[in-house]
């Protein structure tokens, strides 16, 4: 079709510090809950694909773990996931939280993009908050990434859906003319097991405090399709690092785990057409963040 000839398609890697709002942006842009969001830094642990279709074409976003200065085993893996997603893409969306002073960690994040400046679009996020100082961020960007033109720096509120279309248009400018890769109904490529694990983890970490969210992972042990495929029966484990954390996650009279299970079920039933049933248990995987085999299983090197 002739009108399709000018469609643009690009893979766009989203980078930024923890909690900058990368996953929130992805969900708002896709209008689907593709990637889990929480106030806790280092929520995202994998490269997560979310696909946006507009009349201009298709943008295939890759959400990444927040770039964080820490030499711990898990953090090193998370950093390597982000770095590997900068190898092969047409554009980078660099999201910066306008409410935080751009310190050393922001410098290190920007340094990742130094050689990619011709592909970078900057989105200054959280401008809905009174504490936002977009001018400070602009000054930081012009010093750290001087080749990024002002026309490719945007202000937005990913949460309040403000300024998103302008960011998308900026990204399409960098996208080559090419046919879409995914059909229009596809908004993510996550398989069932991964997505279920993420949904449960998202509901858990938003209901837990202090160190515990960082110590949680979820693993799906079984999925059975029942009632001629109308029902999905899922058995999953919510894993923590210590016995004391297990007690907290279960809660008094199992109240906490029941709450997490109910919230996860609600979300899963919104995502899948099948009726979901969930058996969720808590397990201890002692000090898993120090274990190569657990990290390799959860966050395979790319
Ligand atoms: N007020 C406001 N809050 C936002 C906005 N965008 C994100 N947030 C909040 O910021 C927090 C972090 O958002 P995420 O989307 O999880 O951030 P992230 O960059 O994906 O974080 P990591 O996965 O940890 O790297 C959450 O509490 C969001 O609700 C925004 O535009 N305005
Ligand atoms: Mg995230």
């Amino acid at each position: 079709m002739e009108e399709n000839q000018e469609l643009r398609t690009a893979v766009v890697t989203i980078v930024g510090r923890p909690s900058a709002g990368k996953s929130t942006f992805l969900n708002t842009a896709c209008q689907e809950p593709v990637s889990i969001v929480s106030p806790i830094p280092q929520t995202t642990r994998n490269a997560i694909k979310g696909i946006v279709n507009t009349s201009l074409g298709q943008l295939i976003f890759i959400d990444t773990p927040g770039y964080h200065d820490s030499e711990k085993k898990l953090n090193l893996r998370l950093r390597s996931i982000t770095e590997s997603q900068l190898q092969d893409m047409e554009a980078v969306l660099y999201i910066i939280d306008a409410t935080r002073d751009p310190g050393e960690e922001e410098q290190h994040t920007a340094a990742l993009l130094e050689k990619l400046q011709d592909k970078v679009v900057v989105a200054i996020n959280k401008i809905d908050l009174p504490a936002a100082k977009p001018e400070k961020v602009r000054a930081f960007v012009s010093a750290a990434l001087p080749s990024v033109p002002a026309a490719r720096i945007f202000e937005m509120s990913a949460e309040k859906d403000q300024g998103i279309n302008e960011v998308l248009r900026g990204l399409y400018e960098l996208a080559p003319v090419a046919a879409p890769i995914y059909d229009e109904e596809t908004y993510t490529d996550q398989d069932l097991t991964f997505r279920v694990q993420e949904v449960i983890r998202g509901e858990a970490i938003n209901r837990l405090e202090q160190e515990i969210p960082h110590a949680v992972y979820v693993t799906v042990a079984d999925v059975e399709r029942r009632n001629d495929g109308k029902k999905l029966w899922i058995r999953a484990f919510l894993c923590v690092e210590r016995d004391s954390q297990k007690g907290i996650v279960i809660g008094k009279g199992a109240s906490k785990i029941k709450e997490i299970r109910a919230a996860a079920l609600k979300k899963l039933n919104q995502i899948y057409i099948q009726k979901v049933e969930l058996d969720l248990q808590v397990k201890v995987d002692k000090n898993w963040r120090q274990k190569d085999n657990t990290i390799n299983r959860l966050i395979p090197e790319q």
Side-chain angles (χ1 to χ4, degrees):
M1 278 194 300
E2 212 167 59
E3 66 192 43
N4 279 351
Q5 278 176 3
E6 287 305 305
L7 285 182
R8 290 169 180 270
T9 298
V11 172
V12 182
T13 300
I14 309 174
V15 297
R17 291 174 68 193
S19 289
K22 299 177 291 300
S23 304
T24 304
F25 169 84
L26 185 70
N27 294 344
T28 302
C30 293
Q31 297 178 300
E32 296 286 350
V34 179
S35 190
I36 64 171
V37 165
S38 89
I40 296 127
Q42 305 245 272
T43 295
T44 306
R45 292 180 179 158
N46 302 81
I48 291 175
K49 200 175 274 184
I51 299 142
V52 172
N53 292 292
T54 71
S55 58
L56 298 175
Q58 182 169 83
L59 297 174
I60 301 151
F61 286 101
I62 315 283
D63 189 14
T64 65
Y67 206 71
H68 177 47
D69 286 340
S70 160
E71 299 308 309
K72 290 189 180 146
K73 228 180 238 274
L74 177 65
N75 294 113
L76 291 175
R77 176 58 55 84
L78 296 178
R79 275 220 302 264
S80 87
I81 297 292
T82 302
E83 285 162 10
S84 71
Q85 294 303 325
L86 291 169
Q87 308 290 327
D88 196 14
M89 44 70 208
E90 278 77 37
V92 179
L93 176 60
Y94 177 22
I95 299 185
I96 307 179
D97 182 342
T99 67
R100 298 179 71 184
D101 278 338
E104 209 174 312
E105 198 170 65
E106 200 68 75
Q107 287 281 0
H108 295 160
T109 311
L112 272 182
L113 310 179
E114 214 175 319
K115 292 198 172 71
L116 303 168
Q117 291 186 57
D118 55 334
K119 293 183 172 184
V120 171
V121 164
V122 176
I124 303 171
N125 191 30
K126 308 196 188 180
I127 53 149
D128 58 290
L129 294 174
K133 295 193 179 72
E135 288 315 317
K136 228 176 181 173
V137 178
R138 281 178 188 277
F140 166 79
V141 174
S142 61
L145 300 170
S147 302
V148 176
R152 270 199 265 125
I153 303 172
F154 300 89
E155 294 178 18
M156 70 174 183
S157 168
E159 194 170 83
K160 303 275 187 281
D161 198 354
Q162 291 163 7
I164 306 293
N165 288 340
E166 288 73 12
V167 173
L168 296 181
R169 272 201 291 275
L171 289 164
Y172 276 119
E173 299 265 317
L174 294 173
V177 173
I181 294 169
Y182 291 91
D183 62 58
E184 256 185 66
E185 287 73 46
T186 306
Y187 63 86
T188 188
D189 68 344
Q190 296 167 71
D191 65 26
L192 179 98
T193 300
F194 180 80
R195 194 140 188 223
V196 168
Q197 289 170 177
E198 285 290 272
V199 168
I200 299 169
R201 188 168 66 89
E203 295 311 313
I205 65 177
N206 275 291
R207 287 172 176 77
L208 296 165
E209 285 168 355
Q210 292 170 359
E211 190 48 25
I212 301 181
H214 297 285
V216 166
Y217 76 82
V218 175
T219 183
V220 164
D222 280 308
V223 178
E224 281 177 26
R225 285 162 215 272
R226 294 179 176 174
N227 285 21
D228 290 331
K230 289 194 205 89
K231 222 178 231 180
L232 278 177
W233 182 86
I234 297 167
R235 192 161 63 96
F237 292 99
L238 201 162
C239 303
V240 288
E241 284 191 317
R242 292 197 297 273
D243 287 320
S244 57
Q245 294 168 338
K246 183 176 172 180
I248 295 169
V249 174
I250 292 172
K252 224 180 188 163
S255 57
K256 187 61 98 184
I257 189 66
K258 281 183 185 162
E259 191 190 324
I260 294 168
R261 179 183 164 278
L265 254 185
K266 194 173 165 200
K267 285 246 161 94
L268 291 170
N269 276 313
Q270 284 162 357
I271 294 171
Y272 295 106
I273 47 168
Q274 297 95 329
K275 172 126 184 54
V276 180
E277 285 183 11
L278 177 63
D279 173 7
L280 183 61
Q281 294 170 48
V282 184
K283 220 162 74 171
V284 176
D285 181 352
K286 273 220 158 58
N287 299 324
W288 66 265
R289 280 183 287 177
Q290 313 301 327
K291 289 185 193 162
D292 286 325
N293 58 353
T294 307
I295 292 177
N296 287 339
R297 188 160 47 82
L298 297 176
I299 312 159
E301 204 145 23
Q302 283 168 332

